[in-house]
Amino acid sequence: MLEIPESLTIAKQLNETIQGKRILEVEAAHTPHSFAWYSGEPGFYSEIMEGREIGVSEGIGSMVEISLASKHPGTKNAEYSFLAGDGATIRYFAPGEPLPEKYQARITLEDESNVVCSIRMYGTLFLVRPELFDNPYYLAAKEKPRPNTEDFTYGYFRGLFDQVSGTLSMKAFLATEQRIPGLGNGVLQDILLEAGLHPKRKIGSLTEAQRRRTYDALLETLQNMTAGGGRDTEKDLFGRKGRYHTLLCQRAAGKPCPYCGTEIGKANYLGGSIYFCPACQGA
């Protein structure tokens, strides 16, 4: 699933690979999917996107936003963005490279290369006018400070604790309600291992030093994941696994902790699996 490291990595690769190219043909809803959501009918995508030039792509939280230059430069209302949400995979196919049989959207460019988007379990592929799009996830991702930027200070992070109940767990605090857009259950695991805190730990029980340690672990972990081109449990624009070795994930359950050797535990919690070291992270 797209989280902060993957959305930033894929946006960077899109800018290096397709920015400035003109769109030749667009197909939406190629393969039926009950949990793929679009903006309007499939024909809307081809009508709006064909003939436009690919602009700057940006990773915003758990989304990748591809800006589309107006067909009529200077007309702001004619500007659109193509948005792939957290359940989407985005792949680039060079000219002549065979495409997969099943996918949800295809963008064919003037050099006959293709960008293909597929939905896993569920996800969104929206075509929107950014200034009019009022989706709360999009607005939060655009407006809130992002980790490893100058606005995401410890003071800002510390203030997030004051906005919620102390009975909230660390997982609920960090990975729900868009408090930190794009920080989900996937990247959460390694952050909390580095911070030495269990996902079920109540935030009201944290000392100031533990809050600071969580902030430092969050920044360092996300920086390492992004520098590695994403996690090795996910793939980039070219279908390659990220180079960041994920410490806590499905394959880690029952294996020794990389720090102390204790067997890694697994539990279902808040709609997903959590992984933890009973020794390093307590209970």
Side-chain angles (χ1 to χ4, degrees):
M1 303 289 279
L2 286 174
E3 295 189 33
I4 292 170
E6 289 72 43
S7 67
L8 292 176
T9 295
I10 290 173
K12 180 175 182 291
Q13 292 173 329
L14 287 168
N15 287 328
E16 294 170 346
T17 307
I18 68 169
Q19 185 178 354
K21 294 182 180 180
R22 191 162 299 279
I23 298 172
L24 185 65
E25 185 178 46
V26 175
E27 178 188 23
H30 172 81
T31 304
H33 193 303
S34 299
F35 298 102
W37 291 284
Y38 305 89
S39 308
E41 296 299 319
F44 171 67
Y45 289 74
S46 57
E47 176 187 349
I48 297 297
M49 296 176 69
E50 289 176 2
R52 291 176 183 263
E53 187 177 282
I54 299 289
V56 174
S57 297
E58 184 178 13
I60 51 167
S62 59
M63 303 177 187
V64 173
E65 180 176 22
I66 304 174
S67 65
L68 306 172
S70 171
K71 291 181 180 179
H72 307 286
T75 307
K76 183 177 181 180
N77 289 339
E79 295 176 355
Y80 279 82
S81 286
F82 178 81
L83 290 169
D86 67 346
T89 60
I90 309 170
R91 297 286 182 269
Y92 173 80
F93 294 86
E97 191 175 358
L99 304 184
E101 291 185 8
K102 296 182 178 181
Y103 55 84
Q104 275 57 62
R106 169 181 54 83
I107 303 171
T108 300
L109 303 170
E110 59 187 334
D111 63 355
E112 297 187 352
S113 63
N114 291 275
V115 174
V116 171
C117 299
S118 304
I119 300 299
R120 300 185 190 181
M121 295 175 61
Y122 60 88
T124 57
L125 296 171
F126 289 154
L127 179 60
V128 303
R129 287 163 61 176
E131 73 275 13
L132 301 179
F133 192 47
D134 61 357
N135 179 284
Y137 292 92
Y138 177 75
L139 294 177
K142 294 288 280 189
E143 295 170 0
K144 291 187 176 182
R146 305 175 195 180
N148 291 308
T149 64
E150 62 179 14
D151 293 330
F152 196 89
T153 63
Y154 178 65
Y156 172 79
F157 180 72
R158 177 65 177 78
L160 297 177
F161 286 90
D162 299 330
Q163 299 173 16
V164 295
S165 167
T167 61
L168 215 59
S169 69
M170 286 302 298
K171 175 178 176 177
F173 174 69
L174 290 176
T176 66
E177 301 300 326
Q178 295 294 293
R179 270 177 283 275
I180 305 175
L183 196 164
N185 193 54
V187 303
L188 170 80
Q189 315 293 332
D190 280 18
I191 291 171
L192 290 182
L193 176 62
E194 295 297 330
L197 297 171
H198 195 283
K200 293 184 180 181
R201 177 76 177 266
K202 303 302 182 185
I203 65 170
S205 69
L206 268 58
T207 64
E208 187 65 23
Q210 288 172 322
R211 293 179 179 184
R212 181 75 202 205
R213 191 164 70 233
T214 302
Y215 172 78
D216 292 339
L218 186 157
L219 296 188
E220 181 179 2
T221 302
L222 290 178
Q223 175 61 35
N224 290 339
M225 288 177 171
T226 304
R231 297 164 284 160
D232 60 358
T233 55
E234 301 294 329
K235 295 182 179 180
D236 67 7
L237 182 66
F238 305 102
R240 304 174 304 209
K241 289 184 179 180
R243 300 184 305 278
Y244 173 87
H245 177 66
T246 309
L247 301 178
L248 295 186
C249 58
Q250 185 176 11
R251 66 172 180 242
K255 302 289 180 61
C257 170
Y259 294 133
C260 74
T262 303
E263 184 177 301
I264 295 295
K266 175 185 177 181
N268 293 322
Y269 182 58
L270 294 181
S273 297
I274 55 173
Y275 305 92
F276 53 91
C277 172
C280 293
Q281 295 172 268

